[in-house]
Amino acid sequence: MSRPLPTEPDRPDEGQDPDIEALLASPAAAQGDGATITPYRDGPLIVRGDFRLVDPDGAVIDPGRKTIALCRCGKSGIKPFCDGAHKRSGFSAPSAPSRPRPAARIVREAGED
């Protein structure tokens, strides 16, 4: 059971930011069997690859594509998807954490063996 998007995700319209469309059209840095999630500075999370998006009740949300932009600012009119509202709201967030997470350090140390 999947729900359709409130707007057509493949074509920009008055609710979709053309810059977001450009990010969605750009090729992924790495293609694999899973998903790649890329946080963009002051912008959305771009999700590429094979993923499953579900709502809090577990119902599948069909994005209609293999690359999506997820809202990080909380102002989008088409949540959980980004519509470019972060630009109008002055949202600010880095593209990477300010310090490594403990799990990242463990993975990095394990790779040094």
Side-chain angles (χ1 to χ4, degrees):
M1 167 190 277
S2 64
R3 292 187 320 202
L5 288 176
T7 61
E8 184 70 36
D10 289 329
R11 290 184 220 117
D13 65 327
E14 58 191 68
Q16 187 73 41
D17 185 325
D19 291 340
I20 300 302
E21 284 296 318
L23 288 174
L24 296 176
S26 65
Q31 289 289 338
D33 292 336
T36 300
I37 303 172
T38 308
Y40 278 81
R41 195 183 95 204
D42 302 336
L45 296 171
I46 302 298
V47 182
R48 295 180 176 99
D50 293 326
F51 60 88
R52 194 175 92 141
L53 186 62
V54 296
D55 71 12
D57 297 323
V60 174
I61 299 170
D62 180 12
R65 63 186 333 161
K66 289 211 173 258
T67 302
I68 61 171
L70 295 176
C71 176
R72 284 202 297 166
C73 75
K75 306 290 186 192
S76 174
I78 58 170
K79 290 181 193 90
F81 305 99
C82 178
D83 67 359
H86 57 275
K87 292 179 182 181
R88 296 182 298 278
S89 70
F91 176 72
S92 178
S95 61
S98 58
R99 65 178 197 263
R101 299 197 53 172
R105 189 180 75 239
I106 292 167
V107 169
R108 195 171 39 247
E109 290 170 359
E112 294 172 358
D113 293 337

